[in-house]
Amino acid sequence: MKKKIAILGHFGGDQDFLDGQTVKTKILYNELKEKTDWDIQKIDTYWKRKNPIKLLFCTLSALIAKKDVIVLLSINGMKLFFPILSFFAKIWNVRIYHDVIGGSLDKYVEQYPKFKKYLNSFTVNWVETEILKNGLKNNGVLNCKVIPNFKKLNILSEEELPDRFDPPFRFCTFSRVMKEKGIETAIKAIEEINREKGYEFCTLDIYGAVDNAYKKRFNAITAKTGKAISYCGLVPYDKSVDVLKDYYALLFPTYWKGEGFPGTIVDAFSAGLPVVASDWNSNKEIISHCINGLLYPNVKIASLKDGIKNLIDNTDMVMKMKLNCIRDAKKYQPDSYVNYIVSVLAR
């Protein structure tokens, strides 16, 4: 008899969402379908606003019928579903496997004290970083295990790496387009360097969905930028390597409060791109300074602009970084992590 489980998360309905939450949910579902013959029910939180009664009915039906449920939720989803999930975990002995989205869950526990009780009632909370695991432990949540963000990507081979770079040096961002992701910081840094040089010494291509609340401001900013700055639209997550491989480096000056293990770093490493990133949340757990990227601020690199100039001035170092990136990308392929998840659910 086939094992039956359910996955509760944002699959995006009939829309093509490319945000981190949806991508992570779809990747886990697809990997489990590929590695098992299980009957996996999708419960799509996309319908929370459009058809909440149907969503609630599907959720309750799954919790009654199945003993294993994986959940991937945003903060709004946690507020709605955690009391229900915790009830079924305690009263019906349903095994809840909470696959954590982002890096702010410890802050949410401080803000919503009941979360501690809910999280401890689950079988496990899979967090993306040691930093978050320790933050939750300090807040009394003890059943955590680290499973980093992973993606099945065709990692660039060493032979495919470009062997030289000349001006204009091409940089990119590859994340949701919003102020808190540092988009304006990236634009300003590139434009200031070009002004200092007196010509188009480097360029910036911006990829990703523009946050609805940011569209007006973003359009106003890009209307005033020169040709060195381009918005290049959306890229399916499984095509990221093909799009990114010819860039010099990826810029990630984020200060978004929800940042966990950013999928954009996995995309960049898989394409052989060093990442110039803010020393924010868990970035330092993934990016090794001067090995596979640069972190700022520090004694020598005070800003994103300084980081970009440092890379341009040290092309030999960048070529070594690119090799390290594609080697490190192998850590974030899904096989070993999905095999572990399968083994846990099969018990």
Side-chain angles (χ1 to χ4, degrees):
M1 184 176 179
K2 284 187 178 181
K3 183 176 181 64
K4 296 181 179 182
I5 72 167
I7 297 179
L8 169 65
H10 193 272
F11 290 90
D14 54 359
Q15 305 296 310
D16 190 18
F17 288 84
L18 294 173
D19 61 283
Q21 179 186 0
T22 310
V23 169
K24 182 173 182 176
T25 304
K26 287 182 173 181
I27 287 174
L28 179 61
Y29 173 81
N30 291 336
E31 288 296 317
L32 289 176
K33 288 291 285 185
E34 183 178 313
K35 289 187 178 295
T36 71
D37 63 350
W38 296 348
D39 180 358
I40 307 175
Q41 178 185 353
K42 293 195 290 188
I43 308 171
D44 192 352
T45 58
Y46 168 81
W47 299 107
K48 181 160 62 75
R49 291 183 180 177
K50 294 181 178 288
N51 197 338
I53 295 175
K54 179 181 178 181
L55 173 59
L56 183 60
F57 175 79
C58 290
T59 302
L60 293 175
S61 297
L63 289 167
I64 292 169
K66 297 174 176 64
K67 285 296 181 184
D68 297 281
V69 179
I70 301 174
V71 299
L72 303 93
L73 299 168
S74 66
I75 180 59
N76 290 329
M78 293 178 199
K79 291 177 185 176
L80 174 63
F81 288 106
F82 272 9
I84 301 170
L85 296 169
S86 182
F87 172 82
F88 276 88
K90 289 180 176 179
I91 306 302
W92 290 69
N93 296 318
V94 177
R95 293 180 288 267
I96 305 296
Y97 307 89
H98 178 212
D99 199 352
V100 179
I101 302 291
S104 298
L105 187 57
D106 54 341
K107 307 297 189 299
Y108 296 148
V109 173
E110 293 175 4
Q111 189 175 358
Y112 308 106
K114 286 186 177 181
F115 275 23
K116 174 183 172 181
K117 177 182 69 174
Y118 299 149
L119 293 168
N120 281 322
S121 72
F122 301 158
T123 300
V124 69
N125 297 281
W126 291 320
V127 298
E128 296 178 335
T129 64
E130 290 288 345
I131 289 173
L132 180 56
K133 178 182 176 181
N134 292 332
L136 286 166
K137 183 178 179 180
N138 291 337
N139 281 281
V141 181
L142 306 178
N143 56 342
C144 297
K145 179 177 175 59
V146 176
I147 297 182
N149 207 349
F150 56 78
K151 292 184 180 182
K152 180 176 282 186
L153 297 172
N154 293 319
I155 300 172
L156 206 68
S157 68
E158 294 185 13
E159 292 73 25
E160 292 176 288
L161 286 171
D163 56 7
R164 63 172 292 166
F165 288 91
D166 298 300
F169 292 90
R170 300 178 65 210
F171 294 87
C172 63
T173 64
F174 198 79
S175 64
R176 190 166 17 144
V177 180
M178 55 193 291
K179 186 176 182 180
E180 294 82 359
K181 290 284 188 176
I183 296 300
E184 293 175 31
T185 306
I187 291 172
K188 182 180 179 182
I190 294 293
E191 290 194 317
E192 286 186 359
I193 292 171
N194 286 343
R195 274 197 298 271
E196 292 171 3
K197 290 290 183 179
Y199 66 100
E200 193 176 285
F201 186 64
C202 48
T203 64
L204 176 67
D205 288 344
I206 299 167
Y207 294 93
V210 183
D211 192 79
N212 287 331
Y214 187 60
K215 282 182 179 179
K216 185 176 180 180
R217 180 178 176 88
F218 180 66
N219 290 336
I221 291 170
T222 53
K224 297 177 182 178
T225 59
K227 293 181 180 179
I229 312 296
S230 299
Y231 174 63
C232 301
L234 305 178
V235 177
Y237 73 85
D238 57 347
K239 304 296 182 185
S240 60
V241 172
D242 290 336
V243 170
L244 298 177
K245 63 183 180 181
D246 294 322
Y247 286 93
Y248 193 59
L250 182 137
L251 309 182
F252 190 54
T254 183
Y255 54 95
W256 181 51
K257 64 180 181 180
E259 211 71 75
F261 188 127
T264 186
I265 297 178
V266 180
D267 293 306
F269 285 179
S270 300
L273 293 195
V275 180
V276 188
S278 52
D279 188 0
W280 179 259
N281 279 19
S282 300
N283 284 351
K284 60 180 171 287
E285 191 171 314
I286 310 151
I287 298 168
S288 299
H289 187 63
C290 293
I291 304 298
N292 55 24
L294 298 178
L295 291 166
Y296 74 91
N298 57 54
V299 174
K300 293 184 178 180
I301 301 172
S303 66
L304 176 64
K305 178 183 171 183
D306 290 340
I308 294 170
K309 293 169 76 172
N310 183 285
L311 287 187
I312 291 173
D313 291 340
N314 294 279
T315 53
D316 288 344
M317 178 184 72
V318 171
M319 297 311 296
K320 291 177 182 177
M321 283 184 174
K322 286 179 172 289
L323 283 171
N324 292 333
C325 286
I326 58 177
R327 291 166 186 169
D328 286 345
K330 295 172 185 175
K331 301 177 192 174
Y332 309 117
Q333 288 288 288
D335 286 349
S336 62
Y337 305 115
V338 176
N339 287 339
Y340 165 76
I341 291 170
V342 170
S343 69
V344 169
L345 269 71
R347 292 173 187 167

